[in-house]
Amino acid sequence: MTSGGRAADAVPAHEVVVALRDVARMGGFFVLDTARGPGSGAGGLTREGFGARARTVNERYATAEARVGVSIAHLGLAARLWSPVLACALLHGIVPETTTVEWAGDSAALRLAEPRGSRAPQPASSLADAVRAQADGVLEGVERGLPVKVAPRLLAGNSASALVGSAAQLLRSRPDLRAPLTGLTRELLQTGRLLGTGEVTGPELTFRRRSCCLYYRALNGAKCGDCCLAR
């Protein structure tokens, strides 16, 4: 159930599982596992777990700059939160509750230890608030335990970039969702800390952010397509 929601809006756990399994068929960041595994329900998105993933990024891209690993790992985590929440909300009318999201083993993949959710609220502004709480809200909790200091606007820009990237991928898979998906994405970009992070620049949900994820600072890195530094 989303923050501030009523018990009457709660969705049975099996419906949440069915919705998540359906959107997981799109693959990639849309996969949010619900199968219980070793240590399931005991860890959550721990500081230690995130730190390990950031170090893995630094090793993969052969850079010793800790901020780079943290930012790229953060961007990936943001996409893994936004993607299934957006898809479930628009395809199934369910907003999964992600407060029990945890690392699925040693990979960057996630699983939901206790599948719960609520009916997608109306109007669009209420839906945006509910979706943001279960994606960006959880991400903000992780940010309170980052191993190095990273500029808050960079982190907010990462979240916005992941949001629009997830929406664009969903649009490619389900072009019939163009109107509600575009509307919700634009509404989300006016919500909370996402306000002022960038703007949608085209009908296929291309985006230009006002910050940089630092990927260009990694060995063989480059400026991303939505980067404020790209020309």
Side-chain angles (χ1 to χ4, degrees):
M1 191 163 51
T2 57
S3 177
R6 306 185 309 275
D9 297 325
V11 176
H14 73 274
E15 288 190 32
V16 179
V17 170
V18 168
L20 286 170
R21 287 178 178 171
D22 179 55
V23 303
R25 294 189 181 100
M26 287 185 282
F29 295 125
F30 290 93
V31 177
L32 178 55
D33 197 2
T34 55
R36 297 185 69 82
S40 183
L45 298 180
T46 63
R47 175 174 183 166
E48 293 75 19
F50 181 86
R53 282 149 185 82
R55 289 191 295 274
T56 296
V57 171
N58 280 113
E59 292 167 4
R60 180 182 305 151
Y61 293 107
T63 176
E65 189 174 357
R67 288 190 312 147
V68 174
V70 166
S71 179
I72 296 174
H74 175 269
L75 185 58
L77 175 58
R80 292 183 186 278
L81 290 167
W82 279 114
S83 298
V85 175
L86 267 179
C88 281
L90 289 173
L91 289 170
H92 294 276
I94 293 173
V95 180
E97 182 180 329
T98 58
T99 53
T100 63
V101 162
E102 60 188 12
W103 306 113
D106 295 328
S107 72
L110 302 178
R111 67 183 170 207
L112 196 57
E114 297 179 28
R116 293 193 296 265
S118 62
R119 301 292 174 197
Q122 295 298 331
S125 58
S126 297
L127 178 58
D129 287 338
V131 169
R132 192 205 69 80
Q134 301 306 332
D136 193 49
V138 170
L139 191 64
E140 286 182 290
V142 174
E143 292 165 14
R144 289 192 281 271
L146 295 180
V148 295
K149 183 175 178 58
V150 179
R153 292 309 288 169
L154 184 157
L155 297 174
N158 278 357
S159 185
S161 177
L163 157 64
V164 184
S166 298
Q169 182 58 48
L170 181 55
L171 178 61
R172 287 189 286 271
S173 297
R174 291 293 302 268
D176 56 303
L177 292 177
R178 180 179 297 277
L181 177 57
T182 300
L184 178 58
T185 302
R186 291 183 181 278
E187 187 76 37
L188 281 162
L189 289 173
Q190 299 298 312
T191 304
R193 66 171 180 166
L194 301 183
L195 181 64
T197 53
E199 62 182 351
V200 173
T201 58
E204 303 308 310
L205 294 178
T206 50
F207 185 63
R208 176 55 62 94
R209 60 185 286 180
R210 296 193 174 98
S211 59
C212 173
C213 73
L214 306 180
Y215 174 58
Y216 80 97
R217 297 178 68 88
L219 182 66
N220 298 320
K223 297 181 181 72
C224 302
D226 67 356
C227 183
C228 64
L229 302 178
R231 294 290 184 268

